[in-house]
């Protein structure tokens, strides 16, 4: 009977030791951010054309409008449109 009690107690001690929770390491969340740089080496136009852009001139004689492709003149005498 002593051998049986000794064997049961040894098995129960082994069971409790093996079931003991091991300390868990904290979970580390890794976040990787990748940044890309864009090297913009664009150059501004060195020569500005006179015809580029929109021009509007308002005076007491009338209105002149030019957008580089079309010219419109409206005056007291009438209207005139030119296409380039």
């Amino acid at each position: 009977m002593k051998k049986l009690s000794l064997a049961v107690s040894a098995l129960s001690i082994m069971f409790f030791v093996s079931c003991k929770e091991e300390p868990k390491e904290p979970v580390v969340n890794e976040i990787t951010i990748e940044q890309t740089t864009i090297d913009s080496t664009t150059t501004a136009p060195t020569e500005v054309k006179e015809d580029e852009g929109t021009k509007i001139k308002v005076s007491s004689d009338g209105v002149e409008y030019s957008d580089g492709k079309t010219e419109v003149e409206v005056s007291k005498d009438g209207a005139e449109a030119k296409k380039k």
Side-chain angles (χ1 to χ4, degrees):
M1 190 73 165
K2 288 183 180 181
K3 291 181 184 181
L4 183 63
S5 298
L6 187 59
V8 170
S9 18
L11 287 174
S12 63
I13 290 173
M14 293 293 283
F15 176 73
F16 285 121
V17 170
S18 67
C19 291
K20 182 180 174 185
E21 288 187 33
E22 295 178 11
K24 294 182 180 178
E25 294 180 18
V27 177
V28 178
N29 293 334
E30 287 189 31
I31 299 174
T32 304
I33 299 174
E34 294 181 17
Q35 293 181 341
T36 57
T37 57
I38 299 172
D39 185 24
S40 60
T41 57
T42 58
T43 58
T46 56
E47 184 178 320
V48 177
K49 294 182 180 179
E50 194 68 30
D51 294 337
E52 291 183 5
T54 302
K55 298 177 188 175
I56 298 175
K57 181 180 176 185
V58 179
S59 65
S60 60
D61 295 332
V63 177
E64 294 179 15
Y65 168 82
S66 174
D67 65 356
K69 296 179 182 176
T70 307
E71 291 183 8
V72 178
E73 294 181 19
V74 179
S75 64
K76 293 179 183 178
D77 300 332
E80 182 179 328
K82 296 178 186 175
K83 193 170 190 178
K84 290 185 179 182

